[in-house]
Amino acid sequence: MVQQVRVVLVTGGIGGIGSAVCQRLARDGYRVVANHHPDERDKADAWRRSQVGVGLEIDTVAGDVSSFDDSARMVQQVKERYGSVDILVNCAGITRDKSFKKMELTHWDAVINVNLNSVFNVTKPVWEDMLERGFGRVINISSVNGQRGQFGQANYATAKAGLHGFTMTLAQEGAAKGVTVNTISPGYVETAMTLAMRDDVRDAIISGIPMRRMGAPAEIASAVAFLAAAENGYIT
């Protein structure tokens, strides 16, 4: 009997960490679909062509993960194309860094909606299928700043801390059904977002990292691949 290819949905899949996750899982033989915001269609098309250029077939799907209804529509679209989602990687995230004194409600709402509410929005429509099939992997990309806080990131740190609480609860609800739920909490990773920092800010951050460098997206993707593997069903 030929084993069915597992279907993976990666939110924020065309971003820095998201791209590395999609590439690693595609190389590992999964059917990978990268989510992008509906306003990024041209960017997503170019991204998909670039993956073909390096020998990777990764599909893309538009969806505003901050919207419950659009997330449900997106998941249904993936299901109609490839079948139920077996592995969900919640990777979508934005920053709107301001000291709390200067932070406005729009900065707060934007980050909470994309970084935290999205995880409910996208996990909800795949969860029941996973429980019924007796297999599922939900992998949430959080941040060490969700545990230690960071100046100017009250919104971001709150969202990432909430993500871990969500993970711990769903891990208990899914365990007996073969569905694992885990959080990966990277430190600073070298992406377009961190490369855009001022040199002095980057240098100050790196000086506080024991390895004296930022992480590589591929290193985060390796941890995702480990948790996604069928043989690692006892880690949750």
Side-chain angles (χ1 to χ4, degrees):
M1 181 178 178
V2 178
Q3 185 176 358
Q4 182 181 0
V5 176
R6 301 287 189 191
V7 177
V8 180
L9 174 60
V10 182
T11 70
I14 67 173
I17 294 176
S19 291
V21 169
C22 288
Q23 292 163 353
R24 172 59 188 268
L25 296 181
R27 291 191 180 101
D28 286 353
Y30 298 96
R31 162 50 69 187
V32 180
V33 183
N35 151 260
H36 63 88
H37 193 275
D39 292 343
E40 298 179 313
R41 290 184 188 276
D42 291 343
K43 180 180 177 182
D45 288 343
W47 181 89
R48 186 174 62 248
R49 290 193 297 272
S50 73
Q51 303 310 306
V52 172
V54 295
L56 298 175
E57 185 180 345
I58 303 173
D59 201 356
T60 56
V61 63
D64 179 359
V65 296
S66 70
S67 163
F68 181 78
D69 290 340
D70 203 43
S71 296
R73 177 206 55 77
M74 174 185 67
V75 169
Q76 182 61 30
Q77 185 176 338
V78 173
K79 189 173 181 178
E80 289 171 357
R81 287 184 193 175
Y82 302 112
S84 296
V85 174
D86 299 294
I87 299 162
L88 172 62
V89 184
N90 285 305
C91 191
I94 62 171
T95 56
R96 297 289 186 271
D97 293 356
K98 296 280 183 181
S99 66
F100 192 65
K101 181 179 178 179
K102 297 179 180 178
M103 186 173 291
E104 298 176 6
L105 180 61
T106 55
H107 302 140
W108 177 270
D109 285 345
V111 171
I112 295 298
N113 285 335
V114 174
N115 295 24
L116 180 58
N117 291 343
S118 68
V119 181
F120 176 87
N121 295 340
V122 183
T123 306
K124 183 69 172 176
V126 306
W127 185 250
E128 190 170 343
D129 280 349
M130 289 180 175
L131 296 178
E132 288 179 354
R133 293 196 312 277
F135 178 89
R137 299 283 186 268
V138 178
I139 302 165
N140 300 317
I141 307 300
S142 183
S143 167
V144 294
N145 289 348
Q147 297 165 287
R148 69 184 185 188
Q150 178 64 30
F151 184 93
Q153 288 195 328
N155 48 7
Y156 185 84
T158 298
K160 292 303 188 180
L163 189 56
H164 192 51
F166 177 86
T167 297
M168 292 188 291
T169 298
L170 259 65
Q172 296 186 48
E173 294 185 13
K177 297 291 187 179
V179 181
T180 68
V181 190
N182 288 284
T183 302
I184 296 172
S185 296
Y188 284 93
V189 178
E190 196 163 88
T191 64
M193 188 182 299
T194 54
L195 289 172
M197 294 175 174
R198 296 198 321 265
D199 289 343
D200 60 321
V201 174
R202 279 175 50 82
D203 290 345
I205 289 170
I206 291 171
S207 69
I209 300 173
M211 289 190 176
R212 295 298 186 264
R213 68 172 178 86
M214 291 191 181
E219 293 171 314
I220 311 307
S222 178
V224 172
F226 175 81
L227 293 172
E231 61 265 29
N232 291 326
Y234 198 65
I235 300 174
T236 195

